[in-house]
Amino acid sequence: MKKLIAGGTVCAGALVVAAILVPAGIHGEPQSPDTENVIVVVIDGLRCYEAFHDSPASDYVRCMRDSLDPYATRYQNFWNNGVTQTLGGHLTLGTGTWQLMPNSLTYFGPDEDTVSTQPDKPTLFEYYNKAKGYGPSDNKAVYVGGKSWNDTLMCSVDPEYGRSDGGKVVIFPPHTEDWENVPGDTATYRVLINSVLGPHHPNLVLVNFKDVDKWGHKADTLDTTGTDDDYYRAIEVANSLVWELWKWIQGDATYAGKTTLIVTTDHGRHDDQHGGFWHHGGICHGCRHTFLIAAGPDTPSNTVVTRCAFQIDICPTVGELLGFWYPHARGSALSEMLDFDLSHQTGTNYGAGSGDVRVTSTDSISVSPQIASSSTGDTLHVVYVDKSAGKCEVKYKRSTNLGTSWGPDSTLSTGDELDSQLPSVCVLGDTVDVVWMGCNWHTDPTGAPLPDSVPRWYLYHCRSTNAGGSWGTRRAIQGSKYEQSPVRDKPSWSIWDPSVSRYGSSVVGISVCCTGSRRTRTR
């Protein structure tokens, strides 16, 4: 009988120091799980309905369903709450932060793309190599895939990490070859086994099987090179390759009994109510709802976890398995799949000077601070994201003596939000305005979740009229837009990165990014 876990404690994330907010605690000594190697397989663009959305799971994934699942822990309620495209999805699971990157490529050399697609936060490759003293040429942390990335997934632009700590990238075939003639996932699998795992035995590998996404797009009736059956066949091939990889791991002397395999997808595809599986990039259930399966020496077998978990949780989970610290990640390690005590749940006060004043005191993380002052400069107002309650919440503090001491915190976001990020604050007289991004289930006008609801990002606003002494009701003033037909035009958009300012005594200006552009709204 399969073990079902409905809840589960959401573990506190690693501590990050940012600006004036200094978290408490010292990060613990690494634990000693049995896992020495982690292989993450991303089946690009596998929609939940062709995978594990229903019970029993689809026949298209019968190898994973019937053969791997009995050894594994599966997260049934797993979500991509960021950009449901290949680049954004991979960078999100690789960094543990929501990375809203467009699908663009970056190469070294004269043909380098003018749009940098490197993430602003370190990747799991950088965390691992820096912790262990390795570099790309040591072949210890490797990306293998049929999609042509180079520095995009290899390393970030974070000045404390970067290319010298990045992973090795093995692209098959090279990006100079024509996309239409790229061999399929079976060829990528052979390169993975014969050119990477077999000769080098790296400790950390991320592999991309691209054909499900490729043939899903080609099934569009405007494209004469593919059919629906090609999409379904690609799923069956990727599914069988995952099982072949698991069997190969168990037969290899270096990997057997010491390797955790994680299987997931970077994004889904439009559900039938929003255009069908030909395309993706929206916020519908089909695009956002994904899955994760993990099997290995530290992972319970035959277990299904039904609580909400997210792509940003993958990087911290790999960090726990391989014993590296992940200070910039915003997700939480997937504790239900880890049969050992977590070690990297608190952080250090690095960056704090001897004369600095602690603003927060938490055994979790306090990040993304924004500060504003009164016109006289004596009252300081700070908003930030705090994870003490197990999920990210927006909090507020003030100092009335130039920052010498700080009052108690106020929680501006509410308990029903799944996630809260990116607060911004402005002050005019005694009026303090705060905006932030909050993730919540899409509901009808009565507040009840809609059928097949999805987590959706909303722009929230809250105001104090007595200099932060008390706060009014927080209001959702804009939500991400659902895709509409024809979905191949990708007419959906997500909002992100809000900022707030005041114009005179009564007008509030709020600026947000919408799928690469910035829009301003006043109220």
Side-chain angles (χ1 to χ4, degrees), residues 84 269-271 273-275 279-288 480-487 490-493:
T84 56
R269 316 190 76 78
H270 296 301
D271 52 43
Q273 290 72 38
H274 294 89
H279 300 289
H280 55 87
I283 65 171
C284 68
H285 189 103
C287 287
R288 286 224 186 276
S480 298
K481 179 183 177 182
Y482 274 100
E483 53 268 45
Q484 299 174 357
S485 182
V487 295
K490 298 182 179 178
S492 65
W493 48 264

Side-chain angles (χ1 to χ4, degrees), residues 9 30 60 103 110 114 168-169 187 219-220 223 259 266 277 279 326 337 339-340 364 371 405 507 519:
T9 301
Y60 296 120
N103 268 351
T114 56
K168 176 71 172 290
V169 178
D220 190 332
D223 190 328
T259 303
D266 51 348
F277 65 74
H279 300 289
Y326 40 90
M337 62 166 278
D339 268 346
F340 55 86
S364 183
I371 189 169
S405 61
V507 179
R519 303 185 182 191

Side-chain angles (χ1 to χ4, degrees), residues 222-482:
L222 295 184
D223 190 328
T224 60
T225 60
T227 66
D228 290 2
D229 288 341
D230 292 323
Y231 167 68
Y232 297 130
R233 189 177 302 111
I235 299 172
E236 293 176 327
V237 171
N239 161 69
S240 65
L241 292 176
V242 167
W243 178 237
E244 289 300 316
L245 175 59
W246 176 253
K247 291 191 295 182
W248 186 91
I249 290 170
Q250 305 317 307
D252 183 84
T254 300
Y255 284 129
K258 303 174 184 177
T259 303
T260 294
L261 175 66
I262 297 174
V263 185
T264 188
T265 184
D266 51 348
H267 57 78
R269 316 190 76 78
H270 296 301
D271 52 43
D272 292 344
Q273 290 72 38
H274 294 89
F277 65 74
W278 294 343
H279 300 289
H280 55 87
I283 65 171
C284 68
H285 189 103
C287 287
R288 286 224 186 276
H289 191 184
T290 62
F291 70 93
L292 182 141
I293 300 176
D298 301 294
T299 299
S301 61
N302 209 37
T303 299
V304 176
V305 181
T306 59
R307 72 166 176 91
C308 280
F310 304 96
Q311 275 188 334
I312 56 174
D313 299 332
I314 293 177
C315 177
T317 302
V318 176
E320 293 292 337
L321 286 165
L322 294 182
F324 62 76
W325 192 30
Y326 40 90
H328 297 281
R330 300 296 175 85
S332 300
L334 298 168
S335 58
E336 296 89 351
M337 62 166 278
L338 303 176
D339 268 346
F340 55 86
D341 293 333
L342 306 186
S343 61
H344 295 97
Q345 298 310 304
T346 56
T348 65
N349 295 330
Y350 67 86
S354 59
D356 291 344
V357 176
R358 183 188 299 275
V359 179
T360 67
S361 181
T362 175
D363 59 0
S364 183
I365 62 172
S366 297
V367 293
S368 302
Q370 295 287 317
I371 189 169
S373 69
S374 63
S375 58
T376 58
D378 56 342
T379 301
L380 303 179
H381 306 267
V382 168
V383 290
Y384 58 98
V385 173
D386 184 88
K387 206 173 182 183
S388 300
K391 62 181 179 179
C392 290
E393 298 178 318
V394 171
K395 294 198 173 187
Y396 163 87
K397 277 179 173 282
R398 71 173 177 177
S399 169
T400 58
N401 54 11
L402 296 172
T404 301
S405 61
W406 293 82
D409 61 63
S410 299
T411 302
L412 303 186
S413 55
T414 60
D416 60 348
E417 291 173 30
L418 299 172
D419 193 1
S420 299
Q421 299 286 346
L422 299 171
S424 177
V425 60
C426 74
V427 178
L428 182 64
D430 287 336
T431 301
V432 185
D433 288 287
V434 178
V435 295
W436 69 92
M437 298 307 305
C439 185
N440 216 328
W441 296 103
H442 190 202
T443 60
D444 65 19
T446 69
L450 293 172
D452 220 16
S453 183
V454 300
R456 184 180 182 189
W457 288 104
Y458 292 84
L459 173 65
Y460 285 102
H461 170 255
C462 196
R463 172 177 290 173
S464 170
T465 57
N466 57 3
S470 60
W471 291 86
T473 303
R474 71 103 163 92
R475 300 178 185 275
I477 58 177
Q478 182 66 64
S480 298
K481 179 183 177 182
Y482 274 100

